[in-house]
Amino acid sequence: MVVALGGGVVGDLAGFCAGIYQRGIAFVQVPTTLLAMVDSSVGGKTGVNHPRGKNLIGAFHQPRLVLIDPDTLSTLPQREFQAGMAEVIKYGVIGDAALFEQLERAAAQDPSGGLASLEALGPELLHTILERSAAAKAAVVAADEREGGLRAILNYGHTLGHVVETLSGYNTWLHGEAVAMGMLAAGEIAVALGMWSASEQNRQRALIAAAGLPQRWPALAENAVLTCLQADKKVRDGKVRFVLPSAIGQVSIRDDVTSDTIVAALRRLG
């Protein structure tokens, strides 16, 4: 048996090795970062990055156990904590409006960064976040383990977020930081398509800001962005499938987003 003690990279690598050794041996996830606790340790997606794209080499291999101890977050660097909050905000947007509103109330109590540190968040809200996020992920995975349909909504913010990571060489932005930018980009696309309002996009932006996450699209060549999108695992028949918000707590999948719409959205964030 393999025990993965660490963050998302450790869990993904250990799970991938466990999945391919002797056609699969048991492994246990013991996540020690917020991002791993609320997202990557649950669901059985394992993999490693490739220069051409994020997690292009991987396998589905479910852990026998996921053991989460919130006390391990006491030594987590603040930037890593903030990166994990991006995935928490994601869960609010894709299916948990009540969680989103709870995060908004916490942010309103401390506009200077009420979601940006373990101390500001507090133990009660932390436990709520851990329980609701892990339960939401587990429920989606139980309904669609291998991403044949519903599970794709968990990729909200990841389609363009993975582009940021790939084109930056995986050494500039943390995964959660890239996802935050990807969520804002998806929100801009949704506004352009008339799917949700500018006020809802501003609510998303405010939470991302309260968590201390980046809000501007990095200086990446537009042609490179469009090319990189075609390597995304969700591409079907040459069409990129975007997870786009239609309300706080609700998303849908669209494959009719034009290159011009994508570029225009990214320029508004630049």
Side-chain angles (χ1 to χ4, degrees):
M1 183 179 72
V2 175
V3 177
L5 175 67
V9 172
V10 171
D12 273 5
L13 179 58
F16 176 61
C17 292
I20 63 173
Y21 182 65
Q22 294 184 355
R23 296 191 178 94
I25 61 173
F27 88 109
V28 170
Q29 289 271 25
V30 188
T32 60
T33 67
L34 180 61
L35 192 148
M37 289 178 182
V38 301
D39 190 72
S40 63
S41 67
V42 180
K45 269 188 176 181
T46 69
V48 294
N49 298 331
H50 185 276
R52 290 194 61 186
K54 177 83 172 179
N55 290 333
L56 286 186
I57 304 168
F60 288 94
H61 190 54
Q62 295 292 347
R64 296 289 181 90
L65 171 72
V66 179
L67 178 62
I68 295 174
D69 183 352
D71 287 345
T72 62
L73 298 178
S74 63
T75 56
L76 187 69
Q78 184 172 356
R79 185 183 174 194
E80 293 279 358
F81 183 87
Q82 293 168 347
M85 284 303 300
E87 295 283 1
V88 176
I89 295 168
K90 177 196 78 174
Y91 285 114
V93 176
I94 68 173
D96 195 341
L99 175 61
F100 191 95
E101 291 165 3
Q102 192 171 2
L103 294 174
E104 286 184 314
R105 290 192 294 271
Q109 293 175 4
D110 182 6
S112 63
L115 304 179
S117 69
L118 183 64
E119 295 74 19
L121 205 64
E124 185 176 344
L125 182 54
L126 174 63
H127 277 266
T128 298
I129 282 172
L130 294 178
E131 291 175 357
R132 292 180 77 121
S133 298
K137 177 75 175 281
V140 171
V141 172
D144 178 21
E145 181 182 6
R146 294 179 175 265
E147 204 169 291
L150 176 65
R151 184 167 179 164
I153 69 172
L154 297 172
N155 290 308
Y156 178 61
H158 288 59
T159 302
L160 282 162
H162 285 172
V163 169
V164 172
E165 293 180 270
T166 301
L167 295 183
S168 300
Y170 307 111
N171 58 12
T172 302
W173 302 99
L174 297 177
H175 175 66
E177 293 170 338
V179 168
M181 289 183 276
M183 289 193 294
L184 287 174
E188 287 294 326
I189 292 172
V191 171
L193 296 178
M195 295 179 59
W196 81 336
S197 66
S199 63
E200 288 170 311
Q201 170 74 337
N202 288 336
R203 288 176 67 189
Q204 176 178 241
R205 186 189 303 274
L207 272 193
I208 288 172
L213 291 160
Q215 302 166 66
R216 298 181 66 86
W217 185 257
L220 301 173
E222 293 170 353
N223 286 340
V225 169
L226 297 176
T227 299
C228 190
L229 279 173
Q230 288 299 316
D232 189 272
K233 296 181 292 297
K234 296 176 293 300
V235 171
R236 295 291 182 274
D237 299 323
K239 295 181 179 180
V240 181
R241 296 189 300 162
F242 283 93
V243 182
L244 300 177
S246 51
I248 300 298
Q250 183 175 333
V251 292
S252 59
I253 300 173
R254 298 278 294 265
D255 65 358
D256 59 345
V257 182
T258 67
S259 297
D260 289 343
T261 300
I262 297 168
V263 170
L266 299 184
R267 287 177 179 174
R268 287 194 295 274
L269 291 175

